[in-house]
Amino acid sequence: MSPSSDSDAGASGDTVPDSGVTVYELAPGCTSDDVEIGEYYHATVNGVVDYGVFVDVSQEVSGLVHSSNLRGGYDVGDELVVELLEIRDNGDLSFAEREPGDHETTRVEGGEGVEIHDIESAVGRTVHLEGEVVQIKQTGGPTLFFVRDGAEVVPCAAFEEAGVRAYPSVELDDAVRVTGDVETREGAVQVEVESLARLRGEAAAEVHERVESRLEERAEPPEVEPLIDWPAFEKLRPGLRDVARRLREAVLESRPIRMRHHADGDGMCASIPLQSALENFIAETHEDPEAQRHMLKRLPSKAPFYEMEDVTRDLNFALEDRERHGQRLPLLLMLDNGSTEEDTPAYRALDQYDIPILVVDHHHPDPDAVAPLVDAHVNPYLHDEDYRITTGMMSIELARLIDPGVTDDVRHIPAVAGLADRSRAETMDDFLAMAAEEGYDEDDLRDVGEALDYAAHFLRYSAGRHFINDVLNVDCDDPDRHRELVSFLSSRAERDVDRQLGDAMSHVESRRLENGAHLFTVDLDEHAHRFTYPAPGKTTGKIHDTKVEETGGDPVITIGYGPDFAVLRSDGVRLDIPQMVSELTEEVEGGGVSGGGHLVVGSIKFVAGMREEVVDALVEKMGEAELDEALRSTLVRED
């Protein structure tokens, strides 16, 4: 309870004032259960009639001061002090005006005050709580107001009549005081609202300040020790902490998160642990058991950039959810893509709305193009590192900053991510050793990566929520099922790769470039199976690996092409594929060239009728590239 300033009514007459009494100031949500006969209350006139005045002592409690019990004349809005004389059988209240003289004012809150963190212990009792409205959802029955106190969120159900909006003046982000009974509905705790008061002025400011302070404290990521001591990675840690803080803040604001990730092994190693960590944090901070499902969507992207098709879908669902469920517009989290100029058209579409964008990626970035459109961007290239630090490796540490409790379930995943992207980072031996402690040898980890790629190919645009979790062994309740599933999928993947290479290898053409590198090319449209596993990128990667082994370590470049695309792999050649793509865009008029990737791994698209001109110009640039044997020791190749 908090005191307010004393308020003495302007009464007339010679009656001796009362003294030494307490006058109660009732909070708006107080009900008749909070008043007692014989006690004094601050009141406000809400109506004047011939036989007296009607007064409010709270938003929910009103009564009559009969003219015989008045000491002066009053207008609507005037304040006075009254004593409760009687509570009649029909519920009507009768008051008398009093002049308390020297008195003490005490504030009374409706029910017992409770923090959302403790609300489960208050089931069956009447409580009051204060906070901010973060979502308003109209159901076929009550209106659900989701209220946060800065640390957690609770649903508050207010009923006017079926399907009718209760408290229509209350809006998103308003400071409110809720009074009601704490009940459980279908196993979930919620407040059955008796009154919901929109706070104003100083009272509202106090609530906003308190909520903001608690939110900042709760959003701050915990301190966690890195899984592996890696100086190069430490450059990225401040950026990852910032992303973790923003994600935790989004959860506390009840802002939905749409997670977009590249649909390959590294992309899933990045997204699955992070999904688990975010779901745990949502469950920890939201009383609504459906919050995990509504607040987080993991969505694979087939292309290594954010396509207009994807952003159109995301915007459509976001706007529908805002209209139907009263949700905020979402935060977009990009994983293992999102760093290039190809992403910017989609980002500009989101820029028309209040949709923050966070990017964690290890593809070669276009920071000048991307930076103005995103709120945070973590990429090793921005810290003079490169793609050896995979997105999966970064996202494991990001997940642990959101929920350290996931650590034991994800210790094998950095090695899976590194092998899936064929990282030869100096810490790969450490990651492999850590995975070995969890029962995985290198062959097991490679099989997990192959199984992920195989599953992702056939899932296409589906997240495969529980299926992929079982493959990666995150939140999997049956280790035997995980092992059998990986064995089955990886063996199918190996069978399909062998068939693809058996049919394509005899059609691979070779030549020596001017710089001495071997160039291998293959028309995948003519000499590979289409629309099945492995896809053109992985097919080209497998052919490239075979040729690297056959040439005994010589510099090798491989190009797999189709009617309007080319996939590029190199080993031992100092290429800058993003730069080459940029130059081809300018130099091949009418070629429609676009694309990118890592420095030595990438893909491009072009107009089908200009394939010969584009590929010839690309090969010429590759023939001028400098050989670099040292590059081979740190190479990352993506399938």
Side-chain angles (χ1 to χ4, degrees):
M1 293 184 293
S2 60
S4 68
S5 59
D6 295 343
S7 177
D8 294 331
S12 63
D14 299 326
T15 306
V16 177
D18 301 318
S19 63
V21 300
T22 298
V23 180
Y24 294 99
E25 178 187 35
L26 300 187
C30 287
T31 68
S32 57
D33 292 335
D34 296 302
V35 297
E36 292 184 19
I37 293 174
E39 298 293 349
Y40 287 19
Y41 301 94
H42 287 287
T44 302
V45 176
N46 70 24
V48 178
V49 292
D50 291 341
Y51 50 86
V53 297
F54 288 99
V55 297
D56 294 330
V57 295
S58 79
Q59 183 174 287
E60 304 295 325
V61 181
S62 302
L64 174 69
V65 182
H66 192 272
S67 56
S68 62
N69 290 316
L70 281 174
R71 300 180 177 181
Y74 293 95
D75 295 322
V76 172
D78 287 346
E79 296 179 347
L80 65 159
V81 173
V82 297
E83 177 188 355
L84 178 58
L85 299 179
E86 182 183 7
I87 302 177
R88 298 191 174 98
D89 292 341
N90 63 2
D92 288 346
L93 276 63
S94 174
F95 294 99
E97 182 184 358
R98 294 291 184 254
E99 186 177 357
D102 183 19
H103 67 277
E104 180 182 85
T105 293
T106 299
R107 184 174 175 82
V108 178
E109 303 290 350
E112 61 180 293
V114 67
E115 303 288 341
I116 296 175
H117 176 75
D118 299 318
I119 201 161
E120 288 188 6
S121 64
V123 171
R125 302 202 300 271
T126 301
V127 303
H128 68 263
L129 58 91
E130 294 180 337
E132 293 176 347
V133 177
V134 293
Q135 182 183 350
I136 303 172
K137 180 180 180 179
Q138 183 59 56
T139 72
T143 306
L144 293 178
F145 295 89
F146 293 83
V147 178
R148 70 170 179 181
D149 62 4
E152 297 184 17
V153 179
V154 65
C156 303
F159 188 81
E160 182 71 24
E161 59 181 274
V164 174
R165 170 76 142 83
Y167 301 100
S169 64
V170 175
E171 299 177 351
L172 207 62
D173 295 322
D174 278 349
V176 296
R177 181 183 293 111
V178 180
T179 301
D181 298 328
V182 181
E183 304 290 350
T184 57
R185 292 289 180 268
E186 299 180 357
V189 174
Q190 69 178 28
V191 177
E192 304 284 350
V193 176
E194 292 182 1
S195 68
L196 190 152
R198 181 185 181 190
L199 302 179
R200 300 178 182 275
E202 184 177 340
E206 289 178 358
V207 169
H208 288 309
E209 183 177 350
R210 183 168 64 249
V211 169
E212 184 64 26
S213 176
R214 290 178 177 175
L215 184 145
E216 289 181 4
E217 180 179 354
R218 191 66 189 275
E220 189 63 29
E223 296 292 338
V224 293
E225 291 294 322
L227 290 174
I228 296 295
D229 184 19
W230 189 2
F233 191 92
E234 290 307 303
K235 302 176 184 179
L236 308 176
R237 192 167 291 277
L240 291 174
R241 283 193 65 86
D242 178 52
V243 171
R245 179 185 58 77
R246 291 171 184 267
L247 290 171
R248 289 166 64 96
E249 188 175 85
V251 170
L252 294 169
E253 292 177 341
S254 286
R255 182 187 289 274
I257 298 170
R258 293 185 77 84
M259 182 191 300
R260 279 283 181 184
H261 64 90
H262 195 196
D264 67 355
D266 188 38
M268 285 185 287
C269 285
S271 60
I272 298 298
L274 193 50
Q275 179 179 17
S276 180
L278 283 167
E279 287 179 342
N280 292 345
F281 190 62
I282 291 169
E284 181 182 326
T285 56
H286 286 65
E287 294 294 336
D288 179 10
E290 296 295 310
Q292 293 167 300
R293 184 167 63 89
H294 294 309
M295 287 188 58
L296 180 63
K297 294 288 190 298
R298 178 176 64 81
L299 304 155
S301 296
K302 299 300 289 184
F305 61 92
Y306 195 29
E307 295 184 289
M308 287 303 299
E309 179 181 2
D310 290 338
V311 72
T312 302
R313 287 175 174 166
D314 289 347
L315 274 174
N316 181 55
F317 282 117
L319 295 171
E320 285 186 353
D321 285 346
R322 183 175 67 173
E323 180 67 23
R324 294 171 56 195
H325 305 300
Q327 289 186 333
R328 299 180 188 272
L329 291 176
L331 175 149
L332 174 69
L333 174 63
M334 301 290 290
L335 296 174
D336 202 33
N337 55 13
S339 290
T340 68
E341 189 173 8
E342 289 177 288
D343 298 284
T344 59
Y347 289 167
R348 284 195 291 271
L350 295 182
D351 196 42
Q352 309 304 312
Y353 299 88
D354 177 24
I355 299 181
I357 303 170
L358 312 179
V359 179
V360 180
D361 186 23
H362 74 145
H363 290 83
H364 193 273
D366 295 311
D368 291 341
V370 171
L373 298 169
V374 303
D375 294 83
H377 186 186
V378 182
N379 190 306
Y381 282 98
L382 302 178
H383 301 276
D384 299 319
E385 296 299 333
D386 58 29
Y387 40 80
R388 294 171 298 164
I389 303 175
T390 74
T391 307
M393 295 172 184
M394 291 187 283
S395 292
I396 292 299
E397 296 296 342
L398 178 57
R400 296 177 65 238
L401 288 168
I402 291 168
D403 175 26
V406 303
T407 298
D408 289 343
D409 287 339
V410 303
R411 287 168 52 84
H412 62 293
I413 296 179
V416 177
L419 293 173
D421 256 22
R422 304 189 183 180
S423 171
R424 296 183 185 177
E426 59 270 26
T427 55
M428 274 305 298
D429 287 343
D430 294 327
F431 285 132
L432 291 170
M434 186 167 61
E437 294 173 358
E438 304 301 316
Y440 293 87
D441 62 27
E442 188 168 340
D443 288 339
D444 295 331
L445 298 167
R446 292 187 185 278
D447 285 347
V448 172
E450 289 289 341
L452 286 173
D453 276 342
Y454 192 72
H457 177 83
F458 290 106
L459 283 169
R460 301 188 186 279
Y461 294 103
S462 173
R465 170 71 170 89
H466 301 290
F467 180 60
I468 293 297
N469 279 35
D470 285 348
V471 173
L472 195 52
N473 199 17
V474 174
D475 295 332
C476 177
D477 57 6
D478 188 342
D480 290 336
R481 182 173 65 235
H482 158 69
R483 286 188 290 269
E484 292 170 5
L485 192 58
V486 168
S487 176
F488 170 72
L489 294 174
S490 61
S491 63
R492 297 281 296 187
E494 182 180 6
R495 182 206 66 177
D496 290 356
V497 167
D498 289 344
R499 182 186 65 170
Q500 186 82 297
L501 294 186
D503 294 336
M505 287 298 291
S506 62
H507 302 284
V508 175
E509 299 179 357
S510 64
R511 57 185 276 200
R512 281 273 189 164
L513 298 176
E514 291 182 8
N515 57 9
H518 296 275
L519 174 66
F520 297 96
T521 60
V522 58
D523 188 335
L524 298 174
D525 191 49
E526 295 290 337
H527 304 301
H529 298 281
R530 299 289 304 279
F531 312 113
T532 188
Y533 188 85
K538 195 170 188 72
T539 299
T540 303
K542 292 292 187 181
I543 292 172
H544 179 77
D545 292 344
T546 302
K547 292 304 181 181
V548 167
E549 187 174 349
E550 288 179 358
T551 57
D554 287 350
V556 172
I557 298 172
T558 305
I559 304 177
Y561 57 83
D564 58 356
F565 70 88
V567 182
L568 321 171
R569 300 288 187 270
S570 72
D571 200 327
V573 185
R574 188 179 291 277
L575 295 182
D576 186 340
I577 291 176
Q579 179 61 32
M580 289 182 173
V581 170
S582 178
E583 293 173 358
L584 289 172
T585 301
E586 298 288 335
E587 296 170 6
V588 183
E589 186 176 353
V593 178
S594 65
H598 298 312
L599 291 180
V600 293
V601 182
S603 62
I604 63 174
K605 293 183 178 181
F606 41 77
V607 175
M610 297 292 289
R611 183 177 78 175
E612 184 175 349
E613 289 86 344
V614 172
V615 173
D616 286 349
L618 177 64
V619 170
E620 182 179 351
K621 291 182 181 296
M622 289 177 165
E624 298 170 353
E626 179 183 353
L627 302 185
D628 187 355
E629 291 299 322
L631 189 62
R632 295 174 53 77
S633 65
T634 60
L635 180 65
V636 176
R637 293 191 299 274
E638 277 196 341
D639 292 328

